[in-house]
Amino acid sequence: GENVEQHPSTLSVQEGDSAVIKCTYSDSASNYFPWYKQELGKRPQLIIDIRSNVGEKKDQRIAVTLNKTAKHFSLHITETQPEDSAVYFCAVTQGAQKLVFGQGTRLTINP
Amino acid sequence: GAVVSQHPSWVICKSGTSVKIECRSLDFQATTMFWYRQFPKQSLMLMATSNEGSKATYEQGVEKDKFLINHASLTLSTLTVTSAHPEDSSFYICSAVRGESGANVLTFGAGSRLTVL
């Protein structure tokens, strides 16, 4: 089955700096790559997603890049703010809309 | 927007009892729902895929007789943890998919925190 690896597991950056989280996957047939933000005790919230026919997508301070050949995709957060502190999960489809999640990255923004 | 309601948000039960968790799509029909389990500081692990009108598909290692799933209508899926034990204590989250084909956007419920004493 699909194997998703997410790095780093923890990330601490100064407010205003950029944060980058990377995920690799194994199934070349995967075609949908969302990123979720989860605050403690709450549901995951979709923050951005990308499909396999696109290489990059941006939404204000958040961007996602996809390299299908290398089978990896990354989340980029610029001008980080304290409210960006949370756990971030990448996910990959494994057919029929079923998502496989990465291990998660705990992002801490230091004021 | 799509709203998924999950109930109860938290439940405490004694070891050996059964607990039912409901997942409802409030403003759309969901032919498929997914049940995830999340232990503290870990990722979401898919337990099973719930299909309206048919049997659920369980992931490897998930006991179908222990985690009963019923998806009797296009807006409701239930997960029953039978004969719960302390190791079943976890955060259970459902997600629902809109009915249109090719749409991979999931909407998550708020989750149900189960504590088994």
Side-chain angles (χ1 to χ4, degrees):
Chain A
E2 177 72 88
N3 183 42
V4 181
E5 296 289 333
Q6 182 173 344
H7 298 282
S9 57
T10 60
L11 179 61
S12 182
V13 302
Q14 287 299 119
E15 182 178 355
D17 288 350
S18 296
V20 180
I21 303 170
K22 298 181 180 179
C23 283
T24 61
Y25 60 98
S26 59
D27 190 346
S28 57
S30 296
N31 58 5
Y32 177 64
F33 310 90
W35 284 92
Y36 290 88
K37 176 183 181 182
Q38 187 181 32
E39 297 179 353
L40 188 63
K42 297 187 177 181
R43 78 186 83 192
Q45 296 279 3
L46 178 69
I47 56 172
I48 197 167
D49 58 9
I50 194 168
R51 298 185 187 274
S52 60
N53 57 345
V54 177
E56 183 175 359
K57 183 177 179 181
K58 188 174 182 180
D59 182 3
Q60 299 183 351
R61 297 187 297 109
I62 297 173
V64 55
T65 58
L66 171 65
N67 184 328
K68 282 219 72 181
T69 302
K71 290 187 281 189
H72 66 72
F73 59 111
S74 299
L75 175 70
H76 304 254
I77 305 175
T78 60
E79 301 173 22
T80 54
Q81 302 168 1
E83 52 265 37
D84 294 330
S85 295
V87 179
Y88 292 81
F89 292 98
C90 65
V92 178
T93 53
Q94 190 180 9
Q97 306 154 331
K98 185 171 70 173
L99 292 179
V100 177
F101 285 83
Q103 295 83 357
T105 297
R106 182 172 300 278
L107 176 63
T108 302
I109 308 302
N110 301 310
Chain B
V3 177
V4 174
S5 173
Q6 192 171 337
H7 177 82
S9 56
W10 58 271
V11 57
I12 301 173
C13 70
K14 293 181 179 180
S15 185
T17 60
S18 294
V19 174
K20 179 184 285 188
I21 301 170
E22 294 186 347
C23 181
R24 293 180 185 274
S25 55
L26 298 186
D27 54 356
F28 66 100
Q29 293 183 331
T31 55
T32 303
M33 291 184 176
F34 299 96
W35 286 96
Y36 289 86
R37 179 168 55 184
Q38 186 177 32
F39 291 109
K41 297 185 178 182
Q42 294 189 24
S43 186
L44 289 83
M45 298 301 296
L46 180 65
M47 298 176 66
T49 302
S50 174
N51 300 298
E52 186 269 335
S54 64
K55 292 183 178 180
T57 304
Y58 289 82
E59 294 300 302
Q60 191 173 10
V62 178
E63 300 175 57
K64 59 180 67 177
D65 294 330
K66 180 170 182 63
F67 299 100
L68 302 179
I69 292 172
N70 183 278
H71 195 152
S73 78
L74 285 171
T75 60
L76 174 64
S77 175
T78 61
L79 168 68
T80 301
V81 183
T82 63
S83 186
H85 292 285
E87 58 265 30
D88 298 323
S89 298
S90 187
F91 193 49
Y92 292 86
I93 309 176
C94 70
S95 65
V97 183
R98 284 183 178 270
E100 56 263 31
S101 61
N104 291 330
V105 179
L106 296 183
T107 300
F108 282 90
S112 299
R113 185 164 301 282
L114 170 63
T115 301
V116 184
L117 302 177

